[in-house]
Amino acid sequence: MGVQTEASEAAPWISCPECRELVYSKRLARDLGVCPACGAYSRLDASQRVAQLVDAGSVVPFEPPVTVEDPIGFADSLPYRDRLRNARERTGADEAVTCVTASVTNHPVIVAVMDFRFLGGSLGVGVGERIVRACETALRTRTPLLLITASGGARMQEGAFALMQMAKTSQAMAELDEAGILTLSLVTNPTYGGVAASFATLTDVILAESGARIGFAGPRVIRQTIQQELPPGFQSAEFMQAKGFVDAVVPRPALRPVLGGLLGMVRPDGAPAATKATRLIRDPAELPERDPWEVVRLARHGDRPTTLDYVYQLLDDFQELKGDRLSGDCPAIVGGIGRLDGRPIVLIGHQKGHDTAERVSRNFGMALPEGYRKAARLMRLAEKLGLPVVTLVDTPGAHPGIEAEERGQAWAIAENLRLMSGLKVPIVSVITGEGGSGGALALATADRVLAFSNAVYSVISPEGCAAILWKDQAEAPRAAAALRLDARELLRHGIVDAVLPEPRGGAHENPAGAAETLRAALGATLPELTRLNPRELVERRRRRFRRYGIEDARNT
């Protein structure tokens, strides 16, 4: 779909197949193959992709491997060997994938880019071998891998040999996971069949171009099989992102900086920058006694800084990552990779929003199971890459709806508790507002748990407690006092390790100051944890939670 840029070499003006507007070919080239009239994306060949995305002068092509050309002696109206020869003559490429060593914004990367012009970008022995060699080079040199896919599926003319390439390439991707090598994919239009069902969707981060079609079976096959009309946008990049399978749909002009930012997360730029010192409060006597209900109201204040407010103040090169790779993306939890004073981290947090529309769209910060599964996916990515995890907690609790129960809310929360208890990288959790029940704990099973001075953390909301025990929600202030949920009490009982000061009237009175306080607190806390080896981290974290209820947590 889209404008075919090959025509630009033959004619100064070409017609966009989508909107039928005439487009000046040189302008189309300047616009990276995007129609200026309707925004349709052209289908690029491998050399065009490489030229657009990597640093000039950095490309070193791989030597083409020797593979069996025609493993089953296939012929239809034309012998397969003749089809291969014709494809090579027409495209100037030797196969449907080109592999190079290169760099993107000065970050080294191994790139495998597919070319749909070559037999529909089909996956055969030659493609599979090249993808595996790209993986092996990435493994040997410990260099990130970038896959750029465009394919109609497996190559029929190679029979079961083509099918085996799905397992072969998936196995190579697994070895990169085991070695902790970052893998990225850019899914372009179309990516179907054996490619989509193997290496294209096994990467740590999946980016897609707008409108790219992604799936196992193509829409024509699906319609013929089930005899049903497909929903609007079915299998588009945007559709698949909403279903939890794509991290981000990125405009073509933004691809290079986004890829560069992600690649930079595996190569810290020197030591983390020094931050302004802040005094974390560790003695509950230093905190004034407050009316717990007043603190609850401040913790819930609509203008209180959200996770994304803190992200935009604290992190450089932040790339939000979406989806649980299973069923959907939950907007009540946001997360991604960014740099905190030069240190790459994974940050995950509840997102309530500020105005009514955003709060409704984000379920008031009450996550669905896919939100917790997304958080788990990002934590596993952090462990793979050796990055610390920071979580920001601000939720009334997990979403209490029918759909949440149908999709396994309890299972999702339990899995996060188990995962975090054994995660082999540092975890710092900060209660920034409300810490409600298991929905909060699912992001707060951490090495260090901090809280802002107007935050609350409890097994249940005051209203819920009052309704159950006093049979009257009006008794919520009384319940708030009984639950000992304010920062002073949390610190006294060792539920949190330290408290971050904020204005008595709340962090919303000085959001920039709250962000700097958080920056300083993380700057003081992360270094002491990153010095510990993974085994010691896990042992200490498990001891932390093991002791609750059998001894004074503050004195152990």
Side-chain angles (χ1 to χ4, degrees):
M1 299 293 288
V3 183
Q4 298 301 303
T5 56
E6 293 92 338
S8 66
E9 297 178 3
W13 294 88
I14 56 178
S15 175
C16 172
E18 297 293 323
C19 67
R20 302 302 178 186
E21 288 286 328
L22 286 176
V23 182
Y24 188 45
S25 59
K26 290 186 177 179
R27 179 178 179 182
L28 184 66
R30 288 197 304 269
D31 291 344
L32 304 181
V34 180
C35 174
C38 70
Y41 280 40
S42 64
R43 184 177 288 154
L44 304 180
D45 62 34
S47 62
Q48 290 170 323
R49 286 282 178 194
V50 170
Q52 283 187 9
L53 294 177
V54 310
D55 299 337
S58 69
V59 175
V60 179
F62 280 33
E63 286 291 326
V66 177
T67 56
V68 178
E69 289 258 302
D70 186 10
I72 63 172
F74 187 91
D76 48 12
S77 60
L78 195 69
Y80 176 47
R81 287 182 181 274
D82 291 344
R83 292 196 182 279
L84 282 174
R85 184 178 65 254
N86 291 344
R88 287 167 180 155
E89 290 174 352
R90 184 171 57 84
T91 64
D94 68 334
E95 250 299 349
V97 67
T98 298
C99 300
V100 302
T101 298
S103 64
V104 177
T105 63
N106 296 318
H107 298 296
V109 63
I110 306 299
V111 183
V113 54
M114 301 190 74
D115 193 331
F116 194 80
R117 299 175 308 154
F118 195 105
L119 298 181
S122 51
L123 172 61
V125 169
V127 171
E129 182 62 22
R130 284 162 174 78
I131 293 293
V132 168
R133 293 201 180 193
C135 291
E136 290 172 343
T137 303
L139 182 64
R140 185 179 68 255
T141 61
R142 299 199 62 81
T143 303
L145 174 71
L146 169 61
L147 304 171
I148 304 172
T149 62
S151 175
R155 193 168 294 177
M156 294 178 290
Q157 296 92 338
E158 296 185 11
F161 282 89
L163 187 66
M164 294 303 106
Q165 304 310 304
M166 294 172 64
K168 174 178 175 176
T169 55
S170 298
Q171 178 176 290
M173 296 295 291
E175 292 183 42
L176 292 177
D177 287 336
E178 293 161 5
I181 306 298
L182 175 67
T183 57
L184 310 171
S185 61
L186 170 59
V187 178
T188 75
N189 189 48
T191 296
Y192 279 115
V195 169
S198 59
F199 57 90
T201 54
L202 290 178
T203 55
D204 299 315
V205 178
I206 300 176
L207 308 177
E209 285 195 327
S210 179
R213 300 286 169 169
I214 313 161
F216 184 57
R220 182 173 60 184
V221 172
I222 295 172
R223 285 193 193 97
Q224 291 173 348
T225 302
I226 66 174
Q227 299 296 309
Q228 291 179 6
E229 282 303 308
L230 304 179
F234 183 69
Q235 293 185 322
S236 70
E238 292 79 3
F239 181 92
M240 301 308 284
Q241 182 185 53
K243 296 298 183 182
F245 297 105
V246 170
D247 285 290
V249 179
V250 184
R252 189 171 283 175
L255 280 170
R256 180 174 154 82
V258 167
L259 289 169
L262 288 166
L263 292 168
M265 296 304 159
V266 298
R267 194 180 72 173
D269 294 333
T275 58
K276 182 180 178 181
T278 189
R279 194 174 68 83
L280 294 174
I281 300 171
R282 302 182 186 277
D283 183 354
E286 296 182 27
L287 293 168
E289 290 192 37
R290 306 279 300 280
D291 174 13
W293 186 241
E294 177 192 356
V295 178
V296 169
R297 289 187 295 173
L298 286 173
R300 295 172 174 173
H301 197 286
D303 292 330
R304 198 168 180 86
T306 67
T307 291
L308 288 178
D309 292 331
Y310 286 120
V311 162
Y312 298 142
Q313 290 252 17
L314 299 181
L315 300 188
D316 296 320
D317 300 325
F318 179 73
Q319 176 61 51
E320 184 177 355
L321 304 177
K322 296 185 177 183
D324 65 352
R325 297 285 197 273
L326 182 64
S327 64
D329 179 64
C330 174
I333 288 182
V334 297
I337 306 180
R339 288 181 181 275
L340 176 68
D341 297 320
R343 182 197 302 274
I345 68 168
V346 169
L347 187 144
I348 306 163
H350 297 96
Q351 179 69 14
K352 284 182 176 178
H354 290 297
D355 60 37
T356 301
E358 186 186 6
R359 290 167 83 85
V360 169
S361 72
R362 294 188 182 274
N363 291 325
F364 297 88
M366 296 183 291
L368 294 161
E370 48 265 41
Y372 294 112
R373 292 179 180 128
K374 171 172 64 175
R377 180 175 77 85
L378 297 185
M379 285 188 268
R380 292 189 185 98
L381 174 59
E383 183 176 62
K384 173 182 171 177
L385 301 179
L387 304 181
V389 174
V390 173
T391 66
L392 304 184
V393 176
D394 185 14
T395 181
H399 194 277
I402 294 172
E403 65 273 29
E405 294 301 323
E406 289 177 337
R407 296 201 284 270
Q409 186 73 285
W411 284 261
I413 290 172
E415 286 293 339
N416 272 26
L417 301 182
R418 177 166 64 180
L419 171 67
M420 295 182 80
S421 74
L423 207 68
K424 296 179 177 63
V425 292
I427 312 172
V428 177
S429 294
V430 184
I431 315 298
T432 62
E434 279 187 283
S437 191
L441 185 62
L443 293 190
T445 306
D447 301 294
R448 297 286 185 273
V449 181
L450 313 177
F452 274 95
S453 58
N454 285 317
V456 295
Y457 194 15
S458 177
V459 67
I460 193 172
S461 71
E463 293 88 345
C465 179
I468 294 170
L469 299 182
W470 281 276
K471 315 300 183 188
D472 184 0
Q473 282 198 12
E475 294 291 337
R478 182 178 175 189
L483 286 167
R484 304 287 193 266
L485 48 59
D486 59 281
R488 188 175 192 272
E489 290 296 316
L490 295 170
L491 186 59
R492 186 166 74 86
H493 289 289
I495 302 298
V496 303
D497 299 292
V499 172
L500 284 63
E502 60 178 289
R504 182 180 177 87
H508 58 280
E509 291 189 348
N510 185 6
E516 288 309 309
T517 297
L518 178 57
R519 181 196 301 276
L522 295 174
T525 306
L526 286 171
E528 67 183 54
L529 295 173
T530 54
R531 287 193 290 267
L532 302 176
N533 64 53
R535 180 176 178 180
E536 190 174 5
L537 265 176
V538 171
E539 287 177 351
R540 289 189 179 195
R541 189 183 308 140
R542 289 177 172 170
R543 284 201 303 269
R544 172 197 171 88
F545 289 92
R546 174 68 176 85
R547 69 191 186 225
Y548 286 120
I550 60 171
E551 55 190 25
D552 182 356
R554 286 190 54 79
N555 296 321
T556 58

